[in-house]
């Protein structure tokens, strides 16, 4: 039975910017980032390392594992760990102009206020509608990428090329693209897309030994398209900053006839880096606004399960390492009663009271 004598809370989060005794901190947006953080902490307590999706020097995807302490920059269970949600990530703010962008999770040292890491969080269902009829090893999740994530990706690259010498190295890698005077014009940009992509991949290759985590992607697995959790249902994937570039490279760049969202993301990234080496900073919002190429800017792109599965294809997709019966060890003190079932995962938990017996 759930221990009702304890206050509502989440495993491992001794200090947080959210007060889990209040119902508003269990809303759809809050839960989708705070639960994954505690899932990472719980896995750490069990000696289970998240799967780390990273890239090789040849820009191929490789799988590794990353310890929760390495991921968050601190022991997730430590009294010194402070979980700060929807916060500005100060180390990146010098690279872009305009209003501060908030990142999903910033880990701080509770006593010194030292900033330890900044991470985006994407809680995803496995399978999605595009893979629910495939064999289980080919199941994938939909991953929606927001424009601010591309800003953070650009900043993470800029941070690797801060010195004058390194900035010049970055400039040289970007120079293989002829000068484009009107970046907002499709006809001016499209003929040079292959060179733009080549420049970005050259940067990715150069940074392969210095890539760092940027996205935490927990999966929760259901019985196909049914609203029932698999017994083995939870695991965590972590994407490096460079692996996000590979999300946009699932199609051949040859002979493209229009700019889709994946092409546009690569172009955004190139323009942000080009402005950085030219002006020491980039106007992220202006780039997004002017280089829309007749596509809405509500999201950078959405990767369907049919494409994400090639990145997620691991034993952990077939058999996630955390059981649904362990959810009661992560959501504590009757916190499930404060959930608002506005999202599918919330709804599954609310409609599965047996998990807390």
């Amino acid at each position: 039975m759930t221990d009702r004598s304890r206050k509502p809370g989440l495993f491992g989060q001794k200090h947080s910017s959210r007060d889990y005794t209040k119902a508003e901190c269990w809303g759809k947006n809050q839960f989708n980032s705070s639960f994954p953080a505690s899932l990472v902490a719980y896995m750490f307590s069990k000696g289970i390392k998240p799967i780390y999706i990273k890239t090789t020097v040849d820009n191929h995807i490789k799988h590794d594992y990353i310890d929760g302490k390495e991921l968050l920059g601190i022991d997730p269970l430590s009294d010194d760990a402070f979980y700060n949600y929807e916060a500005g990530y100060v180390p990146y703010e010098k690279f872009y102009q305009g209003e501060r962008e908030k990142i999903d999770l910033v880990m701080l040292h509770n006593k010194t206020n030292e900033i330890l890491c900044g991470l985006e969080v994407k809680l995803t269902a496995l399978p999605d509608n595009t893979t629910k009829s495939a064999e289980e090893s080919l199941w994938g999740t939909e991953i929606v990428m927001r424009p601010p994530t591309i800003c953070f990706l650009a900043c993470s690259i800029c941070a690797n090329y801060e010195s004058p010498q390194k900035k010049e190295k970055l400039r040289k890698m970007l120079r293989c693209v002829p000068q484009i005077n009107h970046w907002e014009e499709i006809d001016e940009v499209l003929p040079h897309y292959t060179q733009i992509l080549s420049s970005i991949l050259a940067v990715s290759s150069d940074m392969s030994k210095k890539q760092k985590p940027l996205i935490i992607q927990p999966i929760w697995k259901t019985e196909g398209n049914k609203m029932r959790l698999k017994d083995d249902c939870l695991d965590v994937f972590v994407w490096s900053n460079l692996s996000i570039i590979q999300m946009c490279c699932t199609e051949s760049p040859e002979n493209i006839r229009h700019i889709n969202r994946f092409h546009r993301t690569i172009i955004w990234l190139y323009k942000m880096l080009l402005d950085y080496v030219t002006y020491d900073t980039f106007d992220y919002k202006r780039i997004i606004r002017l280089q829309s190429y007749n596509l809405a800017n509500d999201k950078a792109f959405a990767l369907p399960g049919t494409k994400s599965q090639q990145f997620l294809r691991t034993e952990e997709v077939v058999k996630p390492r955390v059981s649904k019966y362990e959810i009661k060890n992560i959501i504590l003190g009757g916190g499930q009663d404060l959930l608002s079932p506005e999202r599918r995962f919330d709804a599954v938990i609310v409609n599965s009271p047996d998990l807390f017996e």
Side-chain angles (χ1 to χ4, degrees):
M1 297 292 288
T2 300
D3 181 2
R4 302 288 176 169
S5 64
R6 299 175 62 182
K7 292 180 180 179
L10 286 164
F11 180 87
Q13 297 191 40
K14 298 185 180 78
H15 307 286
S16 168
S17 59
R18 291 174 177 164
D19 180 355
Y20 296 117
T21 64
K22 297 180 178 178
E24 58 262 31
C25 290
W26 294 85
K28 61 179 181 180
N29 293 325
Q30 293 92 331
F31 184 72
N32 281 3
S33 56
S34 54
F35 176 84
S38 279
L39 176 58
V40 168
Y42 180 76
M43 290 171 64
F44 177 79
S45 75
K46 297 292 183 179
I48 304 171
K49 296 181 179 181
I51 305 101
Y52 190 19
I53 303 172
K54 53 202 294 192
T55 61
T56 67
V57 68
D58 298 319
N59 288 310
H60 295 141
I61 288 292
K62 66 175 287 188
H63 290 137
D64 204 343
Y65 292 95
I66 185 167
D67 182 78
K69 184 175 181 180
E70 182 184 354
L71 173 61
L72 300 182
I74 193 170
D75 180 336
L77 309 180
S78 168
D79 193 55
D80 292 331
F82 187 93
Y83 294 75
N84 196 23
Y85 295 97
E86 292 294 321
Y89 187 57
V90 175
Y92 286 169
E93 291 173 7
K94 59 187 172 184
F95 297 120
Y96 65 92
Q97 302 172 25
E99 187 179 346
R100 164 189 281 188
E101 282 294 343
K102 293 180 179 179
I103 201 164
D104 290 330
L105 173 63
V106 175
M107 292 301 296
L108 302 174
H109 191 288
N110 188 49
K111 295 185 177 67
T112 66
N113 241 16
E114 178 189 358
I115 299 169
L116 304 171
C117 73
L119 297 160
E120 290 280 87
V121 182
K122 299 187 182 301
L123 180 61
T124 55
L126 181 78
D128 73 340
N129 285 332
T130 69
T131 58
K132 64 185 180 185
S133 299
E135 62 178 271
E136 210 164 340
S137 63
L138 298 179
W139 282 4
T141 66
E142 181 184 44
I143 304 172
V144 178
M145 207 63 59
R146 304 178 306 129
T149 306
I150 310 308
C151 175
F152 299 138
L153 168 57
C155 291
S156 73
I157 295 173
C158 294
N160 195 62
Y161 297 97
E162 280 200 83
S163 71
Q165 295 85 358
K166 289 184 177 180
K167 189 176 287 188
E168 181 58 29
K169 185 178 184 181
L170 178 58
R171 185 179 291 110
K172 287 178 178 177
M173 287 186 284
L174 300 175
R175 274 184 186 155
C176 76
V177 179
Q179 182 172 327
I180 296 172
N181 294 317
H182 301 286
W183 280 92
E184 69 278 6
E185 298 293 337
I186 294 174
D187 290 343
E188 279 207 39
V189 177
L190 187 57
H192 304 300
Y193 179 74
T194 302
Q195 293 148 301
I196 291 170
L197 177 59
S198 294
S199 291
I200 292 299
L201 292 178
V203 174
S204 178
S205 177
D206 185 63
M207 274 189 62
S208 62
K209 292 183 179 179
K210 296 183 178 179
Q211 58 196 301
K212 58 189 296 186
L214 183 55
I215 294 175
I216 297 175
Q217 187 209 348
I219 56 167
W220 54 280
K221 189 173 183 180
T222 61
E223 296 179 4
N225 62 347
K226 298 176 182 176
M227 288 288 285
R228 288 200 302 269
L229 293 174
K230 284 269 194 179
D231 282 359
D232 300 305
C233 72
L234 289 168
D235 218 311
V236 174
F237 289 84
V238 174
W239 295 76
S240 79
N241 51 352
L242 301 183
S243 66
I244 297 168
I245 294 170
Q246 292 303 312
M247 290 187 190
C248 299
C249 300
T250 58
E251 299 174 354
S252 171
E254 305 297 331
N255 302 316
I256 66 168
R257 300 192 176 187
H258 69 281
I259 294 175
N260 63 26
R261 289 180 184 270
F262 299 103
H263 304 143
R264 185 181 66 174
T265 298
I266 294 295
I267 295 166
W268 281 351
L269 180 58
Y270 178 89
K271 187 62 165 63
M272 290 175 193
L273 298 181
L274 182 64
D275 284 2
Y276 167 66
V277 298
T278 306
Y279 309 112
D280 296 327
T281 185
F282 59 86
D283 190 333
Y284 143 71
K285 289 281 180 68
R286 188 172 188 272
I287 290 170
I288 300 298
R289 185 179 73 253
L290 295 182
Q291 293 169 220
S292 62
Y293 306 125
N294 301 321
L295 298 165
N297 290 333
D298 57 324
K299 58 189 175 186
F301 61 84
L303 196 71
T306 49
K307 289 186 176 180
S308 72
Q309 59 88 16
Q310 63 187 282
F311 298 97
L312 305 176
R313 202 177 298 166
T314 60
E315 293 179 6
E316 289 82 6
V317 162
V318 178
K319 190 175 178 60
R321 294 168 292 172
V322 177
S323 148
K324 69 179 181 181
Y325 302 108
E326 295 176 84
I327 293 174
K328 65 177 179 290
N329 300 330
I330 304 171
I331 298 175
L332 308 173
Q336 72 276 8
D337 296 333
L338 300 178
L339 284 170
S340 302
E342 301 164 88
R343 292 285 183 94
R344 288 182 61 199
F345 187 54
D346 310 43
V348 168
I349 292 176
V350 168
N351 293 318
S352 304
D354 57 301
L355 298 180
F356 296 88
E357 292 178 355

